[in-house]
Amino acid sequence: MPGKLFPLGGPVPEKDVVDREDFIFSLQTRLAEGQSIMLAGPRRIGKTSLAYEVLRRGKKQGFYTVSVDFFRLSDKRDFAVSLINACLENRTGVRRTIDVLKDRAKSIAGTAKITLKLEDLEFGIGFLADEKNDNVLLDYALDLPNVLAKRDKKSVIVLFDEFQDASRVVDADIYKKMRSHFQNQESVAYMFLGSKEGIMDTLFGNRKEAFYRFATILPIPPIPENAWIKYIIERFSHRGINTEYEIIKEILNRTGGHPQDTMLVCSEIFYALLEAEENTITPGIVRLGYDRALITLTPVYDEILDELSQRFKVRDVLKRIAFGKSVYAKNINPNEAKRAVDHLVSKAIIQKKGRGSYTFVEPMFQEYILREFF
Ligand SMILES: Nc1ncnc2c1ncn2[C@@H]1O[C@H](COP(=O)(O)OP(=O)(O)OP(=O)(O)O)[C@@H](O)[C@H]1O
Ligand SMILES: [Mg+2]
């Protein structure tokens, strides 16, 4: 198996991170200075890929790195244990240090080594394995990055992915609690990632703004077109496929350079070529690959559209924007139109381009709507 030519469906490996060099560098610099950052972006724009690349580079430079994904967690204890494990991995090289410690009987030799590595961390083995009080465990976990930083004279970067889920996993007070633990941790910098809507809903409401001031919110810049072109040509030619600059540009015109959609279209083009036993990308193949990609996206878009349509007039306004019309129409009350637009912006479906003009974050979603309502 030659492996996937274009990675899809999750954070991309190092070699496939298409140039966001300046942005990655800027993130690294800020984190190294101890500044905490929040990246709130639209779906599938490459947040996790970016953050993982920052962690990989940080690790190479001698930082301790810690990564926790709230999407995978179910409750307070789960969070505390994951955070502790992710911290301790820097010392032990083992992913689930706590499980290993619990399993004392199974591997006495291995456990002894790990125990030694953790000797100075102010807890008995029994504490981590047996502590019954989740709050005690959580307080311990939230302090651990800083404890490690001090003990080992290291700087630590901690990533919290799908951060909007923290209140689901723990409770609504988690943001306040985190902030009270984090604000004086000098050698630890935090990177919070989340869906744009989720982060906005979670952190802007209800007196939680204190947390928002703790981290700088940065928008995620698009991937430069030239970087995409270079990457796509290189990938295809890796498999002996001929491409032309103009053809690749056409792909990018259609996807708007949206990371996942671009990867998906390229991938479908690749399979279409394999099926046709061709090795040259023609405009016809681009259309075919694009159409197939749109079909695979349809269930996702159906769901998004259904959800959006639950709000009054949102569907009408979205349709108007897709067809390039003004959002204000005779049959829509201007206040309602404005509310619908605000909702679509907060959901990161559209973005403001100029006065009263909006574009789709995902041009393929626009195309889906055009076809749906034609
Ligand atoms: N820097 C990049 N270069 C190339 N492709 C990318 C890049 N970032 C993301 N992609 C593409 O987008 C897909 C989704 O990336 P990733 O999971 O990092 O995004 P995300 O914003 O974290 O998504 P989610 O909204 O699901 O959390 C990847 O599988 C890949 O196809
Ligand atoms: Mg992600």
Side-chain angles (χ1 to χ4, degrees), residues 7-10 12 16 18 44-49 162 260 263:
L8 277 173
V12 298
D16 292 297
V18 179
R44 304 282 196 264
I45 207 80
K47 302 175 288 292
T48 308
S49 298
E162 303 294 352
Q260 181 192 252
M263 285 289 195

Side-chain angles (χ1 to χ4, degrees), residues 164-335:
Q164 74 279 352
D165 281 0
S167 51
R168 169 188 62 79
V169 171
V170 187
D171 54 43
D173 286 335
I174 184 62
Y175 302 110
K176 227 160 74 193
K177 190 179 191 68
M178 280 184 162
R179 187 182 136 104
S180 71
H181 280 265
F182 296 165
Q183 62 188 351
N184 298 319
Q185 300 184 348
E186 275 175 12
S187 306
V188 189
Y190 291 85
M191 204 172 7
F192 306 96
L193 307 188
S195 68
K196 193 158 182 185
E197 22 160 336
I199 294 281
M200 298 301 172
D201 291 352
T202 319
L203 294 180
F204 281 81
N206 307 344
R207 280 176 279 127
K208 286 170 198 141
E209 303 89 1
F211 194 87
Y212 156 59
R213 260 175 266 131
F214 167 74
T216 308
I217 297 194
L218 297 178
I220 302 174
I223 296 177
E225 187 174 81
N226 282 338
W228 263 130
I229 294 179
K230 192 165 155 250
Y231 170 82
I232 296 171
I233 291 183
E234 187 278 319
R235 287 274 78 198
F236 278 122
S237 74
H238 182 71
R239 293 295 299 271
I241 293 161
N242 307 313
T243 49
E244 274 169 33
Y245 183 84
E246 287 304 319
I247 293 248
I248 305 297
K249 254 190 100 111
E250 170 61 16
I251 298 174
L252 293 169
N253 281 343
R254 285 168 172 262
T255 64
H258 181 277
Q260 181 192 252
D261 294 353
T262 305
M263 285 289 195
L264 182 62
V265 171
C266 287
S267 185
E268 288 300 329
I269 288 175
F270 174 58
Y271 292 122
L273 281 170
L274 287 184
E275 281 171 35
E277 300 183 339
E278 294 284 347
N279 63 1
T280 301
I281 305 180
T282 59
I285 292 278
V286 170
R287 272 196 301 277
L288 183 62
Y290 178 84
D291 286 346
R292 287 185 177 183
L294 200 56
I295 290 170
T296 73
L297 286 169
T298 294
V300 181
Y301 290 157
D302 283 345
E303 212 177 300
I304 297 176
L305 189 61
D306 278 353
E307 206 196 302
L308 292 172
S309 302
Q310 286 166 15
R311 287 234 183 178
F312 193 55
K313 294 293 177 197
V314 166
R315 193 185 175 97
D316 295 338
V317 168
L318 191 63
K319 232 167 87 182
R320 295 187 64 83
I321 296 172
F323 281 91
K325 295 185 189 153
S326 158
V327 295
Y328 299 103
K330 278 200 201 101
N331 60 340
I332 306 179
N333 166 318
N335 289 329

Side-chain angles (χ1 to χ4, degrees), residues 68-181:
V68 173
D69 181 356
F70 277 100
F71 183 71
R72 296 168 194 274
L73 302 177
S74 53
D75 58 27
K76 191 185 277 183
R77 188 174 190 87
D78 205 10
F79 169 48
V81 167
S82 300
L83 180 54
I84 294 170
N85 272 333
C87 286
L88 296 183
E89 187 179 347
N90 288 283
R91 280 262 188 109
T92 63
V94 177
R95 270 191 96 134
R96 294 171 192 269
T97 303
I98 296 184
D99 289 350
V100 176
L101 293 177
K102 266 188 178 169
D103 263 3
R104 270 167 272 190
K106 278 195 194 148
S107 151
I108 293 175
T111 312
K113 242 193 245 161
I114 287 179
T115 312
L116 271 178
K117 284 185 186 161
L118 305 177
E119 225 174 22
D120 60 327
L121 289 180
E122 288 168 359
F123 55 76
I125 302 270
F127 168 69
L128 284 186
D130 306 326
E131 173 59 45
K132 294 282 181 298
N133 186 329
D134 294 346
N135 289 321
V136 174
L137 205 61
L138 181 59
D139 282 331
Y140 180 81
L142 294 174
D143 287 335
L144 190 55
N146 197 44
V147 170
L148 271 184
K150 278 204 213 136
R151 284 289 148 76
D152 297 359
K153 302 203 168 35
K154 289 275 191 179
S155 294
V156 181
I157 304 174
V158 180
L159 165 66
F160 289 122
D161 203 352
E162 303 294 352
F163 191 56
Q164 74 279 352
D165 281 0
S167 51
R168 169 188 62 79
V169 171
V170 187
D171 54 43
D173 286 335
I174 184 62
Y175 302 110
K176 227 160 74 193
K177 190 179 191 68
M178 280 184 162
R179 187 182 136 104
S180 71
H181 280 265

Side-chain angles (χ1 to χ4, degrees), residues 13-37:
E14 196 169 351
K15 68 169 180 38
D16 292 297
V17 178
V18 179
D19 184 338
R20 272 175 163 161
E21 210 46 53
D22 293 348
F23 189 57
I24 292 172
F25 186 73
S26 145
L27 289 176
Q28 275 187 296
T29 313
R30 287 166 184 263
L31 292 164
E33 288 297 315
Q35 185 184 72
S36 291
I37 289 169

